[in-house]
Amino acid sequence: MKIRLATRASRLALWQTEHVAALLQQAGFETEIVPMQTTGDAVQDRSLAKIGSKGVFTEELENSLLRGETHLAVHSAKDVQSSIPRELELLAFLEREQVNDVVLSFDEQFSLDKPGIVLGTSSTRRKAQLRRFYPHADTAEARGNLQTRLRKLEEGQFDALVLAYAGVHRMGYEHLVRHTLPAHQFVPATGQGSIAIECAADLDEDLKARLKAALDHPATHTCLLAERAFLHTMEGGCSIPSFALATLESGHLRLHGGLISLSGEEYVEEIQTTGTSTEAGAHALGVAVADAVLGRGGREILASIREHRG
């Protein structure tokens, strides 16, 4: 049968979906790519935090699954909201790319230590982390797809861009990377570096099993379960400066999660490890880390952020 793949229409999203299609074709499936425009793509004059709706990059794709128009939706895992409709499920997570944030500039001599530099980013988390670790730098809103942001950079709207390495690598712009930010300090967003595959919960079970076998990377899946349990417990989304990174080594699952205030001044983090890498163990670890963060000042930071936004 032909598997219809819902995707955003950006070059990066299409690259990711073509990669998924190639894996499915290797497993014997025919595929058809169905590009769509999401709210996050259409609304470019406001920050993601000010758009105000959940799933700004996923809702239209999810609706196509619910209507039965497509079989799978292909997302950047970090764009998937912490709670999805009961009628849908996250079927698979592809093997994770390098998770780091990176700094891009056309200036080969660019330095993060230079006073007064302007760094472009659309991420609330990155802005807060930059204010904490590089307080001498200014940040500016940088919406749009990767090519649009690079055009703005070339026009001089920023001195550099801060982006996820995964997208930069997939689009072939590694030559513009001037700094790789350490993941223990600039802890990434939940799911950063992975591609998530979503389907309708009532899709044929045998078909789901075959699709999952073709696409899922079990170790990445386990890590993402922990990170998403953290995010769900924090009641967070892309507009909240939370962060979470799980790693799996020798059967031990480690989760580094936390929350930072918009100013970067308040910072709560927690690292825990569990000896089980089961689905239940991953979920429990995510909840435990989130509970610890909330209990050590996270609730107050969240309340302050919500009050600030009115």
Side-chain angles (χ1 to χ4, degrees):
M1 65 178 295
K2 183 179 286 186
I3 302 298
R4 289 170 58 83
L5 304 171
T7 177
R8 293 169 62 194
S10 72
R11 274 178 59 187
L12 176 57
L14 288 170
W15 183 99
Q16 292 176 166
T17 307
E18 286 162 2
H19 178 58
V20 170
L23 292 173
L24 290 173
Q25 288 160 15
Q26 288 173 19
F29 291 99
E30 282 188 69
T31 61
E32 179 183 351
I33 294 174
V34 184
M36 301 175 184
Q37 187 177 55
T38 66
T39 302
D41 297 312
V43 181
Q44 292 290 324
D45 60 347
R46 279 171 281 165
S47 68
L48 294 176
K50 289 180 179 175
I51 293 176
S53 62
K54 292 184 177 180
V56 294
F57 292 119
T58 59
E59 186 176 12
E60 288 77 7
L61 280 60
E62 290 179 331
N63 287 339
S64 77
L65 294 174
L66 293 170
R67 292 191 297 263
E69 297 167 356
T70 56
H71 299 94
L72 301 177
V74 180
H75 309 292
S76 291
K78 66 183 176 62
D79 291 337
V80 181
Q81 61 270 37
S82 58
S83 297
I84 64 172
R86 249 183 302 179
E87 301 86 356
L88 300 173
E89 69 177 82
L90 291 171
L91 180 68
F93 294 100
L94 273 65
E95 184 171 7
R96 195 172 214 165
E97 176 71 82
Q98 181 179 322
V99 299
N100 301 72
D101 288 333
V102 291
V103 180
L104 272 68
S105 176
F106 289 103
D107 177 5
E108 293 183 12
Q109 307 304 315
F110 176 80
S111 171
L112 276 172
D113 297 324
K114 184 179 177 182
I117 53 173
V118 178
L119 303 172
T121 175
S122 63
S123 162
T124 304
R125 170 190 60 84
R126 290 184 186 122
K127 288 174 186 173
Q129 289 171 328
L130 288 165
R131 287 175 186 131
R132 181 173 184 84
F133 298 114
Y134 292 94
H136 61 277
D138 293 321
T139 61
E141 187 68 25
R143 290 292 317 283
N145 61 37
L146 180 54
Q147 288 72 30
T148 298
R149 296 186 205 194
L150 286 170
R151 176 179 52 76
K152 292 178 179 179
L153 176 62
E154 200 164 20
E155 290 170 354
Q157 294 188 31
F158 333 106
D159 295 300
L161 288 169
V162 184
L163 300 164
Y165 173 81
V168 173
H169 172 64
R170 289 165 185 163
M171 289 289 93
Y173 291 112
E174 302 101 313
H175 63 286
L176 296 177
V177 174
R178 306 303 174 207
H179 297 277
T180 298
L181 298 170
H184 71 272
Q185 190 178 61
F186 282 78
V187 186
T190 294
Q192 184 161 304
S194 181
I195 298 169
I197 308 298
E198 191 176 23
C199 69
D202 63 0
L203 191 66
D204 177 77
E205 290 297 328
D206 179 63
L207 177 59
K208 278 200 284 191
R210 291 171 58 210
L211 292 168
K212 183 172 183 174
L215 299 173
D216 194 48
H217 186 255
T220 300
H221 199 132
T222 299
C223 290
L224 268 287
L225 288 176
E227 292 174 21
R228 288 185 55 77
F230 169 86
L231 187 67
H232 184 266
T233 307
M234 295 290 294
E235 297 184 356
C238 61
S239 65
I240 298 296
S242 66
F243 49 84
L245 177 62
T247 52
L248 181 61
E249 200 168 322
S250 302
H252 288 79
L253 184 62
R254 176 184 186 270
L255 179 61
H256 182 178
L259 182 67
I260 184 171
S261 64
L262 297 177
S263 68
E265 293 176 5
E266 298 166 89
Y267 186 89
V268 184
E269 63 181 343
E270 176 78 7
I271 300 173
Q272 292 187 22
T273 303
T274 179
T276 175
S277 58
T278 63
E279 183 172 327
H283 184 270
L285 180 62
V287 172
V289 171
D291 284 343
V293 170
L294 290 170
R296 290 183 18 241
R299 283 191 183 87
E300 290 75 13
I301 294 174
L302 286 175
S304 174
I305 291 170
R306 286 165 183 148
E307 183 180 350
H308 172 79
R309 290 179 176 158

